[in-house]
Amino acid sequence: MDFEELYERYFHSIYRTIFYMVDDETLAEDLTQETFLRVYKGNFKRQATLSTYIHQIARNLVVDHYRRKALIRWLPFQTKHEKTEIRFVPHTWIEQEESRAMLYAALQTLKREHRAVVIYRKIEQLSIEETAHILGWSTTKVANTQRTAMKALERLLRGDENGFA
């Protein structure tokens, strides 16, 4: 696969993952471009799948960004991304958009590690092994963190303020 095909295949997934982590469109675009620049310049050694390799680069760039900025905790959800104007849309679309906004808001309040696991496992639908490789964790830690994160997310969506497990 040449680089252009690789870019087309993985761009949206990587952008979406980074966006969920940083909650800033411009920053997500910049970090996504930097991810693919590093993939292009990098040396893929086939120790993992190509998808896992690219996600690992993206995650490391996000972590490095926050380290440089000394922003250890993740920024809270801001509604600027959810203010799209909806006109003449069927009722079910509006309900889906509201549900998506609620899920996104709850996701933004999870602990950093919990959010990462939910993004990789449930949104990006990566395997436990791929997620463990990206995060540098054991598969047991990924499974346990996922279970805890999903319980916390469920509590948050029910409106329980103690959802921060």
Side-chain angles (χ1 to χ4, degrees), residues 12-147:
H12 293 293
S13 172
I14 297 299
Y15 172 80
R16 183 178 54 234
T17 298
I18 292 173
F19 178 75
Y20 282 134
M21 291 182 175
V22 300
D23 191 35
D24 181 300
E25 289 177 8
T26 304
L27 180 58
E29 289 171 6
D30 291 346
L31 292 174
T32 301
Q33 293 302 322
E34 179 65 23
T35 298
F36 284 99
L37 180 62
R38 290 193 183 184
V39 168
Y40 182 75
K41 291 180 177 180
N43 185 13
F44 178 54
K45 298 178 183 171
R46 303 210 186 275
Q47 294 173 334
T49 65
L50 184 57
S51 173
T52 301
Y53 172 72
I54 297 170
H55 275 89
Q56 190 172 31
I57 291 171
R59 178 189 177 273
N60 290 341
L61 283 170
V62 170
V63 170
D64 288 348
H65 167 76
Y66 281 106
R67 282 186 185 144
R68 279 192 311 273
K69 295 288 187 178
L71 295 173
I72 302 304
R73 53 169 225 206
W74 296 81
L75 299 175
F77 174 76
Q78 296 178 11
T79 58
K80 66 182 178 183
H81 302 296
E82 300 298 331
K83 289 184 178 178
T84 55
E85 190 173 317
I86 300 174
R87 292 185 183 174
F88 310 111
V89 178
H91 183 69
T92 56
W93 289 4
I94 294 170
E95 287 176 357
Q96 287 175 350
E97 194 62 30
E98 288 172 358
S99 296
R100 193 178 354 258
M102 286 174 51
L103 176 61
Y104 184 68
L107 183 62
Q108 296 303 309
T109 63
L110 290 176
K111 291 179 182 179
R112 178 174 44 127
E113 295 83 11
H114 292 179
R115 182 184 327 172
V117 170
V118 171
I119 290 169
Y120 290 130
R121 292 284 295 133
K122 298 300 181 181
I123 296 173
E124 293 302 320
Q125 298 182 342
L126 298 178
S127 70
I128 288 178
E129 291 79 15
E130 290 171 317
T131 302
H133 188 79
I134 291 168
L135 297 173
W137 296 354
S138 69
T139 55
T140 303
K141 182 173 181 179
V142 171
N144 290 339
T145 303
Q146 177 183 329
R147 187 172 29 262

